[in-house]
Amino acid sequence: MLATGLSGLYSVLPRKITIETEDWHRLTPDDVNDIRELTMFMNSLEFCSAVVQVAHPVVKKQMLEFLYHGFLVPVMGPALLQVKSNCFYHTFWIANDKFIREKQS
């Protein structure tokens, strides 16, 4: 259910974000709050993170596996691989590495 929910929220994210500042280099909390779909997606990610942080180790392991196999690999992986920028590849592999380390602890 978690992975499906994240996938659904991800699918409605805008494909292009227009920021009207010349020195823009990252999304700010205000930018996130201005985009309803992004706010919902971020809230869902934060909820998942909060649950994993306080969950029993068995529940934590299962949730992380659901998120990894149900969202990160099938949804985020292909989405990031479509982008030609090395920074997106790097971000994906850092997230993947972090997931694996958390899973092992």
Side-chain angles (χ1 to χ4, degrees):
M1 173 112 167
L2 271 174
T4 304
L6 285 174
S7 297
L9 290 171
Y10 180 81
S11 72
V12 297
L13 288 175
R15 296 295 168 230
K16 184 176 181 180
I17 298 173
T18 304
I19 305 293
E20 309 218 2
T21 304
E22 288 184 28
D23 63 344
W24 181 85
H25 64 280
R26 67 180 174 94
L27 288 174
T28 66
D30 288 336
D31 295 327
V32 172
N33 290 333
D34 289 343
I35 303 167
R36 182 178 172 273
E37 298 87 353
L38 186 54
T39 301
M40 291 173 51
F41 181 73
M42 294 301 294
N43 287 344
S44 184
L45 285 176
E46 289 173 6
F47 173 76
C48 291
S49 177
V51 170
V52 165
Q53 288 177 23
V54 298
H56 184 275
V58 173
V59 174
K60 176 180 180 175
K61 181 178 186 249
Q62 190 67 50
M63 282 185 66
L64 290 173
E65 286 182 14
F66 286 148
L67 289 171
Y68 182 77
H69 293 291
F71 178 69
L72 284 177
V73 172
V75 177
M76 292 302 296
L80 293 174
L81 292 175
Q82 289 177 0
V83 178
K84 303 290 186 212
S85 170
N86 285 336
C87 71
F88 285 107
Y89 290 118
H90 184 69
T91 301
F92 175 72
W93 294 117
I94 287 173
N96 187 32
D97 183 59
K98 182 179 179 188
F99 167 78
I100 291 169
R101 279 184 279 140
E102 285 181 359
K103 191 174 169 184
Q104 292 172 346
S105 62

